[in-house]
Amino acid sequence: MRYTRIAGVGHYVPERVVSNHELEKHMETSDEWIVERSGIRERRFAADTETSTDLGLAAAKAALDNAGWKPEDVQFIVYATLSPDMFFPGNGVLLQRDLGIEGVGALDVRNQCSGFIYGLATADGFIRMGMYDRVLLVGAELHSSGLVMTTEGRDTAVLFGDGGGAVCLEVTDDPDGGRLLAHNLHADGRYAEDLAMLAPSAAKRPWFSASMIDEGLTTTKMNGREVFRHAVTRFPQAINEVLEQEGVQASDIDLLIPHQANLRIIDAVKKKMGLSDDKVFANLQKYGNTTAASIPLAFSEAVAEGRAKRGDLICMAAFGSGFTWGASLFRF
Ligand code: UT7
């Protein structure tokens, strides 16, 4: 039998730390409001010269090092981001170019906060069906230069940050060793506009126009309360589903790594699942919401801190724009 194991993990965050107090200088907000509503204390902003592919490349290199792979060992790339360098093509090919591995296929995943879970399930499928033995999965995001740093944009500007995370996935035939166990992926497109950037858009005539900027279509729009309401239900559903798929209980989980959007959502999920503090990982206090990067960035830090160890049963779960959500369970 073919299974998939995580051979390595890595992350990268830009150097520049932006505190809530720094945001107070640009908009009517407060450290107190941001911490109370979201749990976020600071985030990273990329340097002017850094691109979102650069963040993904740095994370990918860290994961390759951790796995002991060379770029030439990568047989396929899956890249999740909502902040690509270009409208098209996606970041996958740019990463492939930067890694210098000409000819290697690259798939772009557009599932926002759930992008890493969608990518993980996809890569697992490719490996298990025998198409590839080694896949590089990256989630990286450059939000900062798209944020509206005024009071008008404060509802989202205070939440998002930049960063990248990556995992190296490889085939194994050992059913008792570390391996990916189960995934579920869900979507409800009726809520597409509740967390979206509406332009540029091929549904508009033309795709781009100055009026789009004036109408606020070119920045993130979020119905925060609606997203919150769905998130606290969908996270436990996806987690319970993946536990049932594998026939295990919540109490069997060594670590839950949820998408890092809001500490209140994470706390609600922790409570609903009956998990103790030490079984749920959160680092959004330092990085804010890094969308597709948030789960691999959290996983990488959890490994570095010794919170996620080889042999642990780990669950990852995400909810976000689409709406899309899902969960993955694996033995690390
Ligand atoms: O990763 C994708 C998934 N995204 C999420 O999971 C986000 C889910 N939603 C949330 O996390 C929360 O809804 C937010 C953190 C975004 C907002 O928290 P909330 O408790 O739902 O606040 P609210 O949007 O209801 O806003 C409350 C008040 C409003 O003022 P009024 O209308 O009560 O006078 C806002 O205008 O807070 C105001 N407000 C702010 N005040 C200071 C909104 N943004 C800010 C701000 N600073 N940055």
Side-chain angles (χ1 to χ4, degrees), residues 231-251:
V232 293
T233 321
R234 295 308 194 181
F235 269 109
Q237 275 176 3
I239 296 165
N240 280 323
E241 188 183 330
V242 87
L243 295 175
E244 269 168 39
Q245 283 167 263
E246 205 45 36
V248 296
Q249 311 291 318
S251 53

Side-chain angles (χ1 to χ4, degrees), residues 287-332:
Y287 303 123
N289 183 346
T290 58
T291 332
S294 98
I295 291 180
L297 173 54
F299 177 45
S300 182
E301 281 213 341
V303 172
E305 291 173 18
R307 295 271 308 273
K309 300 177 290 300
R310 288 286 175 189
D312 281 355
L313 185 66
I314 299 179
C315 182
M316 293 171 165
F319 176 88
S321 160
F323 292 155
T324 56
W325 65 98
S328 293
L329 188 70
F330 62 95
R331 181 73 61 191
F332 180 35

Side-chain angles (χ1 to χ4, degrees), residues 27-30 33-34 37-38 113 153-160 195 222-229 231 235 259-262 264-265 289 291 319-321:
M27 60 193 83
E28 281 174 37
T29 190
S30 65
W33 190 97
I34 301 168
R37 304 285 175 137
S38 72
C113 308
R154 69 179 180 177
D155 59 332
T156 52
V158 302
L159 302 176
F160 295 101
L195 180 43
M222 178 167 77
N223 182 350
R225 284 188 186 183
E226 191 70 357
V227 177
F228 194 101
R229 200 169 66 76
F235 269 109
H259 166 54
Q260 307 284 307
N262 187 316
R264 286 189 295 148
I265 296 176
N289 183 346
T291 332
F319 176 88
S321 160

Side-chain angles (χ1 to χ4, degrees), residues 117-137:
I117 301 290
Y118 269 75
L120 192 62
T122 304
D124 189 21
F126 282 154
I127 289 175
R128 289 168 74 143
M129 75 192 280
M131 203 163 163
Y132 303 110
D133 287 346
R134 288 178 301 278
V135 177
L136 172 65
L137 168 62

